[in-house]
Amino acid sequence: MSQLPADARVVVIGGGVAGCSVAYHLARLGWTDVLLVERHDLTEGTTWHSAGFVGQLRSTVTQTRMIMYSAGLYPELRELTGLDPGWHGVGGLRLATTPERLEELVRQAGAAETYGLDLEVLDARGALDRLPLLEVADVLGALWLPGDGWLDPARLGRALAEGARRLGVRIVTGVEVTGIDSGGGRVRAVRLRERPDARGADHGEHVVRTEIVVDAAGAAAGVVGRMAGAHIPVVPIRHQYVVTPPAGVPADTPTVRDPDNIVYFREEDGGILVGGYIRSPQVWDTDRPLAEPRTLFPPDMPKFRESWESAVRRVPSLKAVGPGDDPSAFRKVVHGPEAFTPDGEFLLGETAVRGLWVAAGFCVHGLAAAGGVGKVMAEWIVDGAPEYDVFGMDVRRFGGHARSARWARDRAIDSYSAYYDIVYPGEERTAARPLRRSPAWVRHAALGASFGEKAGWERVNWFPSSDEPRGEPSEGPRGWAGRVWSPAIAEECRATAEAAGLFDQTSFAKLEISGPDAAAALESVCGNTLDRPVGSVVYTQILGERGGVEADVTVTRLAEDRFRLVTGTAFGVHDAALLRARGLRVDDVTSAYACFCLWGPRAYDILAPLTGDDLTFGYMRAAEIGVGYVPVLAQRVTFVGEFGWELYCPSEYGLTLWDTLVEAGLPHGMRPAGYRALDSMRLEKGYRIWGLDVTPETTPLEAGLGFAVRPGRRGEMPRPRSTLRCLVVDDPREVCLGGEPVRLGGRPVSRVTSGGYGCRVGRSIAYAYLPVGVETGERVEIGVNGAWAGAQVVAEPLYDPEGVRVRAEPWR
């Protein structure tokens, strides 16, 4: 055991490309006291059997940037290490054979313009010119990405490992992790056992003291996490591909993805590697995943039939191989485990156990992003935050509901089966639902509500109007924005503006911060002043070391030593971890309280008869009142730009409170309303959404939130080079959904952060970061629905710019 140290600054578990990349990038940042352990030999877990595709264009800007970084790193590794990482920069084609897929490709091409990604939109003839062996009679279009290619997974792993070794990282193979010791809520040590030597001698257990462990164990990441008491929702799923015998296929053949036919392929050793995503995936049920090296399952050719038949149609020369039902017809059949997650996104970041980090759950395309994974993980560990906004991959996006193995399994199966499907914004998946429900859910369901899901919560998108047909609505926004839409959204907005709307926001995460130093400690991490009188409600941001917005929240002072922080439905675990990491005492009380929001000009008339308490407290104030029989904390806060309150009560009173408000409100024209109306109205008021309009990569000054930052903190921030601006599209039926490219003076400058239709103002609204100095009234173009739509930069907010409705005093 002399090769194992007694201490290490970081222990990385897993010798695949992810673990090797994390170790390499940690060493590049100067952390060389790193121990990487692997129970087999390097890359013999899930890395070795990867198909190796590197496709740069992804659905999010962060994943695309990570893979673009990786694609740039891989060719450099040969020069850095002297080892060939097996990079084949042959370019890639992505085909469309349906109008819907072609529309998706056009949207992706528009987004890629804002990423600086080199690509070209081709017709069928152009695709054939790039790859003459294709059958293109049904091809409507294709994307050509010259920076795509493929890698040899084992060579890449060895190159990254060699780079890490040269920088001082210690790599030990043949060592199994038998336990992770923790105390006081954080990692303390890793227990290891070396495999017996050639004489069968057992060297016993060895303990390495460390306070940072990176779980990069692939399909076994969940098992490793449980050793420390952390839950990591990784689900091993069987994935299959084949390689045909050599047939003279050129080595420079581009990679091809044909998602409409759930198949992908590339050249390998003169033959063709063919893989695909089946509709009925199979989970690998085992208590000891990857216990043996190079784990493979027997070929399952019936499962592979659809993908093979699709490949034969696309590449007619494959007919010579046969019908695909005989494994011996192929040079090899690779049927191995891949680590999937409940939403098909990576699992990165620090777990609930301090010091235990995870880099796993790569859902087949981890090889492409391995370089970027190492980069962001190393920056996160060393600097406290990565360069990119990685919340969509942050393991903390999952709450306690993800501890259910059955929930994770059902969601992962659904994610895999739909991997190549077109993902329409606003489209809802149904797997593992319903799960988390408001006390008023039974009333919403009885009204025929259209539900969406977020962080396991069932949330109303809209309630049907009395005269709405149950089929598809006949009119609405053009293109994708009109696919998941209802005229009821406008009716709910109109009712809120003219009378009142009742919104169920029980799902919003609620955190209580307490202790004698709570005020000073909380204010130290936030931009705004929080040390205000009891009953004050403050809008603020939690700021990172570089001034970026780590969270966007409201904070209510409940007592001298107690505050309640309200944040987005999916952000509670993330925000609580941020605060705990800075030494605050935090209790997640989300499930303890229901929250119903009563907003609109008749809100006072509805609520006043239900209480004997004073309702005349001002805007951004809170007070304890009784509503009917129910004890309530009422807060004069709004997310729709209308007068009213957020009404919080203990969950057991929730159904009674909802019924009380509905009974009192209906005679006044009040209408229950959902989240689509909420989003429409918040756009009209310019209220930001964290993760879209504001992120860790943007400061409050850039986001137009300088008013929510105290002067001293504001003076510490860099001067903005761009600011978030409101755009109104000329054609109100051309509605943005986020990610659309924005051109100024004919050149790409930005992309839409969020957009939608403002029902009260009758305009299509979008937000985008534009260079400082762009004047109100200037013209821009936005890529919407495959064409360029004109838009104008306007002053915000569009609705009630003076805030008269929000600050109204209807009792006067």
Side-chain angles (χ1 to χ4, degrees), residues 406-426:
R406 182 174 177 182
W407 180 88
R409 175 193 178 109
D410 288 354
R411 291 295 288 253
I413 289 173
D414 182 65
S415 175
Y416 180 102
S417 66
Y419 192 76
Y420 265 173
D421 288 358
I422 299 171
V423 180
Y424 294 105

Side-chain angles (χ1 to χ4, degrees), residues 735-800:
V735 176
C736 297
L737 296 166
E740 292 87 353
V742 179
R743 288 179 177 175
L744 176 66
R747 63 182 184 87
V749 294
S750 187
R751 59 186 166 272
V752 172
T753 59
S754 67
Y757 183 74
C759 297
R760 290 176 298 189
V761 299
R763 297 181 181 181
S764 172
I765 305 167
Y767 278 82
Y769 283 89
L770 299 180
V772 169
V774 172
E775 300 287 342
T776 297
E778 288 195 45
R779 302 284 300 171
V780 298
E781 292 180 303
I782 306 177
V784 188
N785 295 323
W788 290 99
Q792 186 173 27
V793 181
V794 300
E796 59 169 322
L798 291 171
Y799 183 76
D800 187 26

Side-chain angles (χ1 to χ4, degrees), residues 663-743:
E663 182 180 4
L666 290 181
H668 292 275
M670 186 198 77
R671 178 178 176 135
Y675 275 81
R676 294 300 172 81
L678 190 80
D679 192 56
S680 171
M681 290 186 280
R682 72 93 190 167
L683 280 166
E684 296 169 312
K685 288 296 294 182
Y687 296 149
R688 280 40 170 164
I689 294 288
W690 189 82
L692 298 177
D693 305 309
V694 289
T695 74
E697 296 184 41
T698 57
T699 69
L701 300 187
E702 292 170 322
L705 299 175
F707 67 88
V709 183
R710 58 188 181 271
R713 194 70 189 264
R714 192 161 56 239
E716 300 169 356
M717 295 180 179
R719 180 171 297 182
R721 290 182 294 178
S722 63
T723 55
L724 189 64
R725 304 298 299 275
C726 182
L727 314 175
V728 171
V729 183
D730 296 343
D731 185 342
R733 291 192 65 200
E734 296 291 352
V735 176
C736 297
L737 296 166
E740 292 87 353
V742 179
R743 288 179 177 175

Side-chain angles (χ1 to χ4, degrees), residues 73-314:
L73 171 67
Y74 298 156
E76 297 173 5
L77 280 173
R78 184 201 300 263
E79 182 178 342
L80 292 170
T81 66
L83 295 179
D84 180 6
W87 170 246
H88 300 259
V90 295
L93 286 167
R94 189 176 180 92
L95 308 180
T97 61
T98 64
E100 294 79 11
R101 185 71 65 178
L102 182 61
E103 187 178 8
E104 180 192 48
L105 293 192
V106 171
R107 288 180 61 87
Q108 290 175 326
E113 179 179 285
T114 71
Y115 306 158
L117 183 60
D118 186 18
L119 61 73
E120 182 181 356
V121 180
L122 306 175
D123 59 14
R125 182 68 210 182
L128 185 63
D129 288 344
R130 293 288 181 185
L131 188 53
L133 58 78
L134 292 179
E135 167 57 56
V136 297
D138 61 338
V139 172
L140 302 181
L143 290 185
W144 165 246
L145 295 107
D148 283 6
W150 61 278
L151 285 156
D152 180 297
R155 287 183 178 183
L156 172 62
R158 287 194 292 268
L160 287 165
E162 180 60 22
R165 281 195 187 99
R166 292 189 178 204
L167 293 173
V169 172
R170 184 176 300 192
I171 298 177
V172 185
T173 59
V175 175
E176 183 175 1
V177 178
T178 57
I180 299 175
D181 297 335
S182 59
R186 69 165 305 121
V187 165
R188 300 297 181 188
V190 176
R191 286 179 277 126
L192 305 169
R193 183 178 295 277
E194 191 175 21
R195 62 188 172 197
D197 60 23
R199 293 170 297 185
D202 186 341
H203 298 282
E205 193 171 67
H206 184 90
V207 177
V208 179
R209 292 183 295 272
T210 184
E211 292 194 345
I212 300 177
V213 173
V214 179
D215 178 359
V223 174
V224 171
R226 286 194 292 274
M227 292 180 181
H231 182 75
I232 299 172
V234 164
V235 180
I237 291 181
R238 302 179 184 220
H239 186 76
Q240 193 167 205
Y241 67 80
V242 302
V243 180
T244 68
V249 178
D252 62 355
T253 296
T255 65
V256 178
R257 290 173 176 80
D258 186 358
D260 288 322
N261 296 289
I262 60 172
V263 67
Y264 59 82
F265 52 92
R266 64 167 175 82
E267 181 272 341
E268 182 169 309
D269 296 329
I272 297 180
L273 180 153
V274 177
Y277 294 88
I278 62 176
R279 297 297 185 185
S280 54
Q282 185 177 359
V283 171
W284 182 27
D285 288 313
T286 177
D287 294 331
R288 302 184 66 241
L290 306 183
E292 301 299 325
R294 294 179 168 257
T295 297
L296 287 180
F297 312 115
D300 189 345
M301 306 320 292
K303 287 267 190 185
F304 197 67
R305 181 175 294 114
E306 182 179 0
S307 294
W308 177 251
E309 290 175 351
S310 294
V312 171
R313 288 195 302 271
R314 186 64 56 219

